[in-house]
């Protein structure tokens, strides 16, 4: 590009490149100036703040530090309270399912006994024809004065051997008889769909038998006079299972109850409820081992959480009540008196390093903390 240039396209391109280069350079210098200005201002602000902080008194600094520690402790306490709330909620939900299952479990013995009483009565045994034959023989269907029918083996005028009896309402017994009574192996079909299959004696379930309810509940085990009695097992439609001892239709003795979510109880039972010594383990890792009364923690026991916390002490109606100790995973121990699940009365903190602090609590809140003791 010289004095004789005719402003060709190459010259125009070179000139445009120079303009762009100057513009970019100016922008770059401008940005640097802005950054430099900001850095200088930040430095001044930092210096000023540092001077302000350095002028604070030692007492103010201590107050700020104590405030921060207090806030941290409050956050930890809130977090622990929230964990405790969730654990309690999960426990109550599990307990509702447990109580529901317990209510269902009572139906077998009551229904089986009450249901058959109206069928096996002396009125059924009245015959319109008397037979003096003492040989066992098979006879066609015979109708009693009550309307029920029997078809099977007889010994004289008594049902004896294999036979089928059907009542007017549709109930049916198929099995063995002796001296006019259900005796041996037999199956009774209730009109509501329930079925008992097993051993009989004196017109009642005696020995080993299986009772299937129309609602899906199944019992396998021993019977005595129409009651679940001895060792047995019940299974519900939700796959809950009880395995253990029974007395006269109720869970009584030692037994294990398992829930579908993996929770289970193993221990002593009385009157169809958890009573005595036993251990309850939840699916989330919590467990309680101790004394129970009417399905509730009642007496001395140890309750452990999955995160390592534990309580050792007395319970009343599922709540910590009496003397107890609360342990944290870091080794700290809170020892004192409890009421309605919360600490009340005099207590003390024992720290991992051996230090002890005494205090007073009211409804779970510390109202006074006395001096430190070695």
């Amino acid at each position: 590009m010289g004095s004789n240039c005719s402003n060709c396209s190459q010259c125009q391109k070179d000139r445009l490149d120079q303009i762009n280069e100057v513009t970019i350079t100016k922008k770059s210098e401008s940005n640097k100036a802005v950054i430099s200005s900001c850095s200088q201002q930040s430095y001044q602000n930092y210096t000023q703040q540092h001077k302000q902080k350095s002028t604070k008194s030692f007492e103010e600094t201590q107050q700020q530090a104590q405030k921060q520690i207090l806030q941290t402790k409050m956050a930890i306490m809130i977090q622990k309270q929230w964990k405790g709330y969730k654990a309690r909620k999960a426990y109550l939900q599990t307990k509702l399912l447990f109580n529901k299952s317990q209510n269902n479990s009572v139906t077998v013995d009551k229904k089986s006994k009450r249901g058959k009483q109206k069928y096996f009565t002396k009125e059924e045994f009245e015959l319109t024809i008397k037979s003096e034959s003492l040989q066992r023989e098979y006879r066609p269907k015979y109708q009693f004065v009550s309307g029920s029918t029997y078809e099977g083996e007889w010994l004289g005028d008594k049902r004896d051997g294999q036979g089928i009896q059907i009542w007017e309402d549709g109930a049916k017994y198929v099995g063995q008889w002796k001296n006019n009574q259900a005796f041996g192996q037999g199956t009774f079909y209730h009109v509501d769909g329930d079925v008992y299959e097993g051993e009989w004696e004196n017109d009642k379930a005696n020995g080993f038998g299986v009772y299937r309810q129309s609602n899906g509940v199944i019992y396998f085990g021993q019977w005595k006079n129409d009651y679940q009695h001895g060792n047995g097992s019940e299974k519900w439609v939700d796959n809950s299972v009880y395995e253990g001892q029974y007395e006269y239709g109720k869970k009584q003795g030692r037994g294990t109850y398992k829930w579908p979510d993996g929770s289970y109880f193993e221990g002593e039972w009385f009157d169809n409820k958890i009573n005595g010594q036993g251990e309850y383990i939840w699916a989330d890792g919590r467990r309680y081992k101790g004394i129970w009364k009417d399905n509730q923690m009642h007496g001395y026991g140890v309750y452990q959480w999955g995160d390592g916390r534990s309580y050792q002490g007395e319970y009343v109606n599922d709540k910590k009540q009496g003397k107890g100790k609360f342990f944290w995973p870091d080794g700290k121990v809170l020892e004192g008196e409890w009421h309605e699940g919360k600490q009340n009365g005099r207590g003390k903190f024992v720290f991992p390093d051996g230090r002890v602090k005494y205090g007073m609590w009211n409804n779970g809140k510390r109202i006074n903390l006395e001096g430190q003791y070695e």
Side-chain angles (χ1 to χ4, degrees):
M1 184 170 65
S3 57
N4 296 327
C5 178
S6 60
N7 197 23
C8 63
S9 60
Q10 182 61 41
C11 291
Q12 293 177 4
K13 182 177 181 301
D14 291 341
R15 188 179 298 108
L16 183 60
D17 289 342
Q18 289 179 353
I19 294 172
N20 289 339
E21 184 177 355
V22 171
T23 303
I24 292 172
T25 301
K26 287 182 178 180
K27 288 183 178 180
S28 177
E29 293 298 330
S30 175
N31 290 338
K32 288 180 181 179
V34 171
I35 293 173
S36 177
S37 175
C38 291
S39 298
Q40 183 67 22
Q41 185 177 358
S42 299
Y43 174 76
Q44 292 175 354
N45 291 339
Y46 171 78
T47 302
Q48 184 178 0
Q49 291 175 2
H50 181 71
K51 289 180 179 179
Q52 290 176 353
K53 289 181 179 179
S54 63
T55 58
K56 287 185 176 181
S57 65
F58 176 77
E59 183 179 355
E60 291 176 339
T61 304
Q62 288 292 97
Q63 290 177 354
Q64 184 67 23
Q66 290 177 359
K67 182 178 180 181
Q68 185 174 359
I69 292 173
L70 180 61
Q71 290 175 346
T72 303
K73 287 184 176 179
M74 287 294 294
I76 294 174
M77 184 180 70
I78 292 172
Q79 185 181 22
K80 286 183 177 180
Q81 289 177 345
W82 174 241
K83 286 183 178 179
Y85 166 75
K86 291 194 294 184
R88 180 66 180 169
K89 185 177 180 181
Y91 165 76
L92 291 175
Q93 290 174 345
T94 305
K95 197 164 188 64
L96 287 174
L97 294 174
F98 171 78
N99 290 334
K100 183 179 180 181
S101 298
Q102 292 303 300
N103 293 335
N104 290 339
S105 69
V106 189
T107 57
V108 173
D109 63 282
K110 289 185 177 179
K111 184 180 291 186
S112 63
K113 180 171 172 55
R114 184 177 63 250
K116 293 197 296 296
Q117 280 182 335
K118 67 178 181 180
Y119 298 111
F120 294 96
T121 64
K122 292 183 178 180
E123 294 177 358
E124 302 293 345
F125 305 151
E126 294 183 9
L127 304 174
T128 57
I129 298 176
K130 298 290 184 179
S131 173
E132 301 298 332
S133 173
L134 296 180
Q135 293 183 345
R136 182 178 287 105
E137 58 181 346
Y138 181 88
R139 301 176 189 173
K141 185 178 296 183
Y142 180 88
Q143 184 169 347
F144 294 88
V145 294
S146 63
S148 63
T149 61
Y150 173 81
E151 181 176 355
E153 294 180 308
W154 295 76
L155 184 62
D157 58 357
K158 296 180 180 179
R159 293 162 292 182
D160 199 290
Q162 195 74 25
I164 301 174
Q165 179 147 337
I166 302 176
W167 286 263
E168 285 188 313
D169 62 1
K172 180 170 64 174
Y173 172 81
V174 180
Q176 297 174 329
W177 299 78
K178 184 178 180 179
N179 196 25
N180 259 345
Q181 292 182 327
F183 192 101
Q185 289 288 332
T187 303
F188 188 91
Y189 300 87
H190 291 265
V191 294
D192 60 2
D194 290 4
V195 178
Y196 169 80
E197 181 179 2
E199 297 177 323
W200 296 75
E201 185 179 351
N202 301 327
D203 280 338
K204 296 178 181 180
N206 276 285
F208 182 84
V210 180
Y211 195 104
R212 294 180 173 86
Q213 296 188 63
S214 57
N215 61 7
V217 179
I218 303 176
Y219 170 82
F220 298 84
Q222 298 294 322
W223 295 77
K224 183 177 181 179
N225 294 333
D226 275 344
Y227 288 105
Q228 301 152 293
H229 192 90
N231 290 320
S233 172
E234 278 183 272
K235 184 176 181 179
W236 287 263
V237 291
D238 64 353
N239 291 323
S240 297
V241 178
Y242 171 82
E243 297 177 352
Q245 297 174 324
Y246 289 80
E247 285 194 16
Y248 298 104
K250 296 180 179 180
K251 301 176 186 64
Q252 194 153 309
R254 291 199 62 84
T256 301
Y257 199 111
K258 299 178 181 179
W259 284 265
D261 65 354
S263 303
Y264 72 91
F265 170 82
E266 183 175 0
E268 298 175 340
W269 299 71
F270 180 79
D271 199 23
N272 220 48
K273 296 179 181 180
I274 297 174
N275 278 282
Q277 183 75 30
E279 184 173 16
Y280 194 118
I281 299 178
W282 284 263
D284 59 10
R286 291 174 296 123
R287 63 175 58 200
Y288 169 82
K289 186 175 183 179
I291 305 299
W292 297 76
K293 182 181 178 181
D294 294 339
N295 286 341
Q296 293 184 323
M297 298 176 287
H298 194 96
Y300 183 85
V302 178
Y303 194 107
Q304 295 176 301
W305 285 264
D307 59 7
R309 292 175 297 139
S310 65
Y311 169 82
Q312 297 179 11
E314 299 173 354
Y315 280 87
V316 173
N317 298 333
D318 265 350
K319 296 179 180 180
K320 293 184 283 291
Q321 190 151 315
K323 293 184 178 181
K325 297 180 181 180
F326 200 103
F327 298 82
W328 279 269
D330 61 3
K332 184 173 62 177
V333 180
L334 175 59
E335 182 178 351
E337 299 176 352
W338 304 75
H339 182 74
E340 290 291 324
K342 297 179 180 180
Q343 193 174 10
N344 279 274
R346 185 171 175 80
K348 65 179 180 179
F349 274 114
V350 181
F351 296 91
D353 59 5
R355 292 178 301 117
V356 178
K357 283 189 176 182
Y358 293 87
M360 293 292 296
W361 277 259
N362 182 22
N363 200 29
K365 296 181 179 180
R366 192 181 69 227
I367 57 177
N368 181 36
L369 189 63
E370 300 176 5
Q372 178 176 315
Y373 299 86
E374 297 296 337

